[in-house]
Amino acid sequence: MQSALLNRTRGAAFKATRPNACSRSVVVVRATAETVVEKKERRLSPLERGGTLSGDQAAGKDAGEKARAMATGSTGAATFLQIVDGRFVDDRWIGGRWDLNQFKDSKGEVDWDKVIDAEVARRKLLEESPIPSINEDPVNFDTSEIPWWAWVRRFHLPEAEKLNGRAAMMGYVLALFVDSLTGAGLLEQQESFLGKLALHICVFAILLVRTSSDLDKYKGLIDEATFYDKQWNATWDGVKRPSEAESQ
């Protein structure tokens, strides 16, 4: 009897302390509501943080002096390639010539490519906006001051590399085409007169026609060469020429 009463008392105490299903769900909801999700701060992209480069390199590979000055933040009193009061003004143009000390690189050597760029830009500006030449403001700079190897490296080497590549590709294609038609190999084509003639025609054609704009240039030359003949013939439209009158 006492043992049964004791078991009932323990069972009632266990039911009082055990949480029911509703209270359990409430606890879960509260725990979920109180949970704070911490978001990581998003990293800025290269464009948002101003690019991956700094200084004058951030302006780009082929940027001008003005863009480089803006990238370095030194645009306060800098003046580049301007015409003020009928005179060419540039902080690097001193005494009618380019100050080569302002074109030196980090190694202390003159960057002749920048000098060439500046001179080309100056002549382009004067071509678009001509100014009078006066004795008080002479031009003492001469392009002959730029070393010959700077011109070769800047203009001739890239052009020669491009032409050699085109000649090699066109020569290979034409030799393969002739081989497929006649069965003559590369050595046989080089030993024959027609093969040498075709090779020279290919090379000279590539030298004369480097870009598609060259075709328009040659077309303009032909039109210019025949312009006066066309103009002369147009003056005789509807009029009998003396030679025609004598023949009648």
Side-chain angles (χ1 to χ4, degrees):
M1 185 98 179
Q2 292 179 355
S3 61
L5 182 60
L6 182 59
N7 291 335
R8 290 178 181 178
T9 304
R10 291 178 178 177
F14 177 75
K15 290 181 179 181
T17 57
R18 185 181 64 180
N20 52 18
C22 295
S23 63
R24 183 182 304 172
S25 62
V26 172
V27 172
V28 173
V29 172
R30 287 179 179 176
T32 304
E34 293 177 357
T35 303
V36 179
V37 179
E38 296 182 358
K39 295 183 179 180
K40 296 183 179 180
E41 185 178 356
R42 185 175 64 88
R43 298 178 59 183
L44 297 177
S45 64
L47 292 178
E48 291 176 338
R49 64 172 181 263
T52 58
L53 301 177
S54 60
D56 59 347
Q57 296 180 352
K61 179 180 179 181
D62 297 328
E65 296 297 335
K66 184 180 296 184
R68 294 183 183 277
M70 292 177 62
T72 55
S74 59
T75 59
T79 304
F80 298 105
L81 301 172
Q82 295 183 10
I83 295 179
V84 180
D85 297 334
R87 292 189 178 186
F88 175 75
V89 178
D90 193 299
D91 290 347
R92 303 163 299 174
W93 185 262
I94 300 176
R97 59 187 308 105
W98 295 108
D99 185 10
L100 300 181
N101 292 325
Q102 301 188 37
F103 291 92
K104 292 184 178 180
D105 53 14
S106 58
K107 298 180 181 179
E109 299 178 355
V110 178
D111 190 346
W112 293 107
D113 288 335
K114 292 183 178 180
V115 178
I116 294 174
D117 292 337
E119 180 63 17
V120 170
R122 184 185 73 88
R123 298 196 177 198
K124 183 66 175 178
L125 178 63
L126 297 179
E127 180 181 353
E128 296 176 353
S129 303
I131 59 176
S133 178
I134 56 179
N135 296 329
E136 291 77 8
D137 189 18
V139 177
N140 299 320
F141 180 78
D142 196 323
T143 54
S144 61
E145 299 179 18
I146 301 176
W148 63 269
W149 52 263
W151 295 105
V152 172
R153 184 183 62 183
R154 176 65 181 272
F155 296 102
H156 299 286
L157 288 183
E159 191 71 15
E161 183 178 0
K162 181 172 63 176
L163 294 178
N164 290 336
R166 289 180 180 178
M169 290 186 291
M170 291 300 299
Y172 175 78
V173 172
L174 293 177
L176 184 63
F177 179 72
V178 173
D179 189 5
S180 62
L181 289 180
T182 62
L186 182 60
L187 293 179
E188 296 177 358
Q189 296 178 28
Q190 295 297 319
E191 293 176 355
S192 65
F193 172 77
L194 295 178
K196 295 179 180 180
L197 179 62
L199 176 62
H200 283 79
I201 292 175
C202 176
V203 171
F204 283 107
I206 292 175
L207 291 175
L208 294 176
V209 183
R210 303 181 182 182
T211 59
S212 58
S213 60
D214 290 340
L215 297 176
D216 298 333
K217 180 181 66 176
Y218 292 127
K219 182 180 178 181
L221 290 176
I222 295 174
D223 294 339
E224 184 178 356
T226 58
F227 173 75
Y228 295 104
D229 291 338
K230 294 179 181 178
Q231 190 177 22
W232 172 259
N233 293 329
T235 58
W236 292 100
D237 289 343
V239 180
K240 290 186 178 181
R241 301 185 181 184
S243 59
E244 295 177 354
E246 292 177 359
S247 63
Q248 293 178 356

